[in-house]
Amino acid sequence: MRARSLPEVASTREAYALLGLTGPVDGEALTAAFRIAIKAARPEVAGGSEVRFRKTIAAWRLIQRQTAPLALAAPAAPPPVAPVLAISPLDALNGGAVEVRIGGRVLRVRVPAGLRTSEHLRLKAAGEDGADLYLPVLVRGAHGLSAVGDDLYMTCPVSHRLLADGGRLEVETHAGPRSAWLVAGQQPLRLRLKGLGLPARGARPQGHLFVTLEPSEDAPSAAEDLLIRFTRVWTPDRLAA
């Protein structure tokens, strides 16, 4: 029958004593005590020996086993995520009132003109504990417009003939019709209409409107566009006058 070997450290009390401690300490203090004890126990150091060296290591392992958690600690509950204040580019242009759901409540929030994505809107005392609530803003594309930074973007269908021959192009924008001239033989993919982006606000400058031209068979030609604009202005009543 094989004899069972006795442990080198009989108890936790002995283990702490070997490390020069009188009882449990926090993790950093325990590690520091072990480092001091193991250096003093090395066989080549005066007062050290192979037996003491082994017993110091055994004491360290015993304390680690005794103080190790039995299970993983439950993860801390993450803080509630603030709802995003999603507004349209027209809301960002003109301001207005939008609804936002906070918990079980639906609040009607007044947004100022000129808000940009990634900014925050403060709602005074709107938190559950009466604290101020800061809502991150997202300008979400709608009504044919999208917003990036200070600028707005839209597309405009253009006839192939107008792109090839050049001429006057009328773009229906959020601020009304705007005209641009296309040069024959040149096909710009994008036009910039200055000052038609998001309004200046704080340190943010006035933005621009970028119009992407999309060749389309359904778009009116330059002559058809001129006729449309003529009939829009010269109504029968005005012609009769």
Side-chain angles (χ1 to χ4, degrees):
M1 182 175 181
R2 187 175 180 180
R4 181 181 298 175
S5 59
L6 296 175
E8 292 188 276
V9 180
S11 65
T12 307
R13 178 179 295 181
E14 182 184 357
Y16 281 117
L18 284 167
L19 300 185
L21 300 171
T22 58
V25 293
D26 61 29
E28 293 184 359
L30 179 62
T31 301
F34 169 72
R35 289 175 178 171
I36 295 173
I38 199 67
K39 288 180 181 179
R42 296 178 68 88
E44 66 272 16
V45 176
S49 66
E50 185 177 347
V51 173
R52 183 180 173 187
F53 187 78
R54 290 200 312 268
K55 289 174 72 70
T56 303
I57 295 176
W60 164 254
R61 291 175 177 171
L62 176 61
I63 294 173
Q64 283 188 317
R65 288 196 302 269
Q66 294 292 334
T67 58
L70 298 178
L72 293 176
V81 179
V84 174
L85 180 62
I87 61 176
S88 70
L90 293 181
D91 293 327
L93 274 166
N94 307 313
V98 298
E99 291 185 349
V100 59
R101 181 177 294 275
I102 302 176
R105 300 173 297 163
V106 177
L107 300 181
R108 191 167 179 81
V109 178
R110 189 77 183 175
V111 297
L115 281 180
R116 270 78 165 169
T117 292
S118 77
E119 291 186 338
H120 288 75
L121 183 67
R122 186 182 71 168
L123 302 183
K124 294 183 179 180
E128 293 184 358
D129 56 355
D132 292 347
L133 190 61
Y134 292 83
L135 299 184
V137 176
L138 172 63
V139 183
R140 186 175 291 164
H143 310 103
L145 287 173
S146 60
V148 178
D150 305 320
D151 303 317
L152 295 176
Y153 293 81
M154 62 171 288
T155 59
C156 177
V158 183
S159 68
H160 293 278
R161 185 167 182 176
L162 181 58
L163 287 174
D165 297 342
R168 183 174 178 175
L169 171 67
E170 187 172 273
V171 182
E172 291 292 340
T173 74
H174 60 84
R178 293 293 188 273
S179 297
W181 284 94
L182 302 183
V183 179
Q186 296 183 6
Q187 297 187 10
L189 298 179
R190 180 174 289 174
L191 302 175
R192 185 183 71 165
L193 302 182
K194 294 182 179 181
L196 293 187
L198 296 180
R201 182 172 180 269
R204 303 297 294 262
Q206 174 79 38
H208 308 296
L209 173 63
F210 290 88
V211 182
T212 299
L213 304 181
E214 288 188 345
S216 173
E217 298 292 344
D218 298 329
S221 65
E224 292 171 332
D225 181 66
L226 183 62
L227 179 60
I228 291 171
R229 289 188 286 110
F230 177 82
T231 55
R232 183 188 302 157
V233 175
W234 293 97
T235 61
D237 294 340
R238 187 167 182 179
L239 289 171

